[in-house]
Amino acid sequence: MKINRDILVRYFLGNCSGKEKEAVRRWLESDGANRQTFVRERIRFDASVVTGETGPQQQPSRARSVAFTLLKVAAAVLLLIGSSYLFNRYTHPLRQPAAAVMQRLYVPPGNRAFLTLPDSSSVWLNSNSTLRYPGTFDGGRWNWTARPVSTWPNATDSLLS
C-alpha cells in the first residue's frame, strides 16, 4: 500500500478527512518501513514549519501571473510619469502671466520722478510716493495704486478709474 505525500501533509496540519485519517492509520500498521517513512516525512514537515514553508507550493495560475506582471508594468509607468512631471516642475517652475506681475516704483523723499507707462500714458510722482501698475497693458481698463500724491498730465476719466 502506498500513501500520497499531500495526504500526509494534510494529516500533519490536521486538515484531512476521516477517511484520510483511517487510510494513514492502516498504512502505518501495514509495514514497519511505512513507519520510518512517516517519521521521515514528519521531521521534514516540522523543519518546513520552522523555515516558514507550510506544505506543497502551488504554482500561481497563468491569469494571476499575467495580472501581477501588468501591475508591475503599470507601477513602472506611473513612476516614470510622476518623476518626469516632478523633474519638469523643478527645472521649469510655473511663471505668472505678465499681466499678473505688478511693477512697483518708489520715489524717495526729496525727489520727483516722471514715468511713461506701458499704455503710453505718463505720470509725475512726488516725493516719498509709490506707484504699482501691471507690467503689460491689454488695451482695456487696468488698476493702479499711487500713494500719496501723483500728477497725471492729460489724464482721462477712463485711465484714472
Side-chain angles (χ1 to χ4, degrees):
M1 180 176 178
K2 198 133 174 102
I3 194 149
N4 189 347
R5 184 169 182 253
D6 292 338
I7 293 175
L8 284 178
V9 170
R10 284 197 305 271
Y11 180 82
F12 297 145
L13 288 172
N15 296 336
C16 63
S17 67
K19 288 182 180 180
E20 290 173 334
K21 284 181 185 179
E22 183 62 28
V24 169
R25 188 186 61 75
R26 275 189 276 123
W27 176 73
L28 284 171
E29 293 173 351
S30 69
D31 190 9
N34 291 345
R35 285 184 187 267
Q36 291 176 346
T37 304
F38 179 83
V39 170
R40 210 174 34 246
E41 288 297 320
R42 181 62 195 209
I43 291 171
R44 183 181 296 168
F45 173 78
D46 290 341
S48 69
V49 169
V50 169
T51 61
E53 298 175 15
T54 57
Q57 299 293 326
Q58 295 181 353
Q59 293 295 330
S61 68
R62 175 95 172 130
R64 188 173 186 162
S65 176
V66 169
F68 188 68
T69 303
L70 287 176
L71 282 175
K72 289 192 294 188
V73 169
V77 168
L78 285 175
L79 184 64
L80 180 65
I81 290 171
S83 61
S84 64
Y85 172 76
L86 290 175
F87 177 76
N88 192 25
R89 285 287 304 264
Y90 179 73
T91 57
H92 306 307
L94 295 177
R95 296 188 179 116
Q96 293 181 347
V101 177
M102 296 293 285
Q103 301 295 324
R104 179 177 172 259
L105 177 66
Y106 172 71
V107 180
N111 292 323
R112 283 185 69 180
F114 180 79
L115 177 67
T116 303
L117 297 172
D119 68 343
S120 300
S121 61
S122 57
V123 62
W124 276 103
L125 294 174
N126 292 332
S127 173
N128 199 24
S129 59
T130 303
L131 175 68
R132 287 180 46 114
Y133 60 94
T136 59
F137 179 66
D138 62 1
R141 300 177 78 158
W142 54 285
N143 295 324
W144 52 269
T145 311
R147 289 194 174 83
V149 178
S150 58
T151 306
W152 297 79
N154 302 326
T156 63
D157 289 337
S158 66
L159 179 65
L160 294 175
S161 53

